[in-house]
Amino acid sequence: MFTGIIEAVGRIAAIADAGGDKRLTIDAGDLDLSAVKLGDSIATNGVCLTVTSLTGSGFTADVSRETLSLATLGALKTGAPVNLERAMRADSRFDGHIVSGHIDGTGEVVARHEDARSIRLSVTVPEPLRKYTAHKGSICIDGVSLTINALSEDGVELNIVPHTAAETIITHYQPGTRVNLEVDVIARYLERLLQGEKSQSGSRLSEAFLAEHGFTGRKR
């Protein structure tokens, strides 16, 4: 599990084909690797990757075709900056929100403008994922835990404070940038619990269903 609080910005040092998958060598920058061992998890732009070797200045990790199909890692070039976070320790302080490192899909930055010292971003969210977004809820973008300022017709509006911009790759975002998205895992589990057996038949959580079970204060 991760928290969405980025510890360091690294870079892609090398990319190699590995039997249809990709093997990434990542320069970890200022990330403390002293306690990292083989098999540990490091979120890279929000993707949970398993450390397969340590290189002194970083680590290597294999990226499966499944992950390549869902995330933006396959489009990165050598030298590209990446957000890094080690897996959360059970006895550490919890910041951000619960992040699994399992990417739900990708979005696109469609607008960016300065707002005093902050950066305002508009990011698209694929239609099947929008139901998991909420005003002042949480979303993870390229591994960064962010608060949704507002919902738009096709995605979310975000405010990036100066510290977050300076400590993550978000400072480089421009319209057209593709980003990894992970929705709030609690929203996913809530949907599953509310649907119960109905989820096996493919039904979807709806306003009518919530009303029927007393969550909206209205009855059908």
Side-chain angles (χ1 to χ4, degrees), residues 29-220:
D30 294 331
L31 187 68
D32 183 5
L33 298 176
S34 60
V36 174
K37 59 186 182 301
L38 301 188
D40 282 357
S41 297
I42 297 178
T44 303
N45 277 5
V47 181
C48 178
L49 297 181
T50 300
V51 174
T52 56
S53 70
L54 294 166
T55 64
S57 61
F59 62 97
T60 64
D62 291 325
V63 185
S64 69
R65 283 184 290 183
E66 169 74 7
T67 300
L68 291 170
S69 70
L70 291 173
T72 63
L73 292 184
L76 296 182
K77 306 296 184 184
T78 301
V82 288
N83 292 323
L84 300 174
E85 182 191 354
R86 295 167 298 174
M88 179 184 174
R89 288 165 46 104
D91 62 349
S92 63
R93 181 174 176 173
F94 188 88
D95 292 312
H97 73 280
I98 297 173
V99 176
S100 69
H102 301 156
I103 301 303
D104 294 302
T106 61
E108 180 179 335
V109 177
V110 292
R112 168 184 171 145
H113 69 270
E114 309 301 316
D115 184 4
R117 296 172 57 238
S118 295
I119 299 171
R120 292 276 184 165
L121 296 176
S122 298
V123 179
T124 63
V125 175
E127 192 279 331
L129 299 179
R130 290 176 204 157
K131 62 184 176 180
Y132 302 113
T133 61
H135 179 233
K136 298 304 179 182
S138 296
I139 191 168
C140 191
I141 296 193
D142 277 345
V144 184
S145 172
L146 296 172
T147 298
I148 298 170
N149 272 22
L151 301 176
S152 63
E153 183 177 341
D154 59 357
V156 295
E157 306 290 330
L158 307 165
N159 181 77
I160 312 300
V161 298
H163 178 80
T164 300
E167 298 297 323
T168 72
I169 66 171
I170 291 177
T171 191
H172 302 297
Y173 286 179
Q174 296 296 331
T177 300
R178 300 293 300 178
V179 296
N180 294 321
L181 304 175
E182 182 185 334
V183 299
D184 190 351
V185 67
I186 294 176
R188 282 195 172 279
Y189 281 117
L190 177 61
E191 177 186 43
R192 175 71 176 181
L193 288 169
L194 288 174
Q195 288 180 344
E197 293 182 359
K198 292 183 181 181
S199 64
Q200 301 296 328
S201 61
S203 65
R204 298 289 186 228
L205 186 64
S206 65
E207 183 178 355
F209 183 86
L210 290 172
E212 180 182 343
H213 290 79
F215 283 89
T216 64
R218 291 184 290 178
K219 295 292 184 179
R220 294 181 64 187

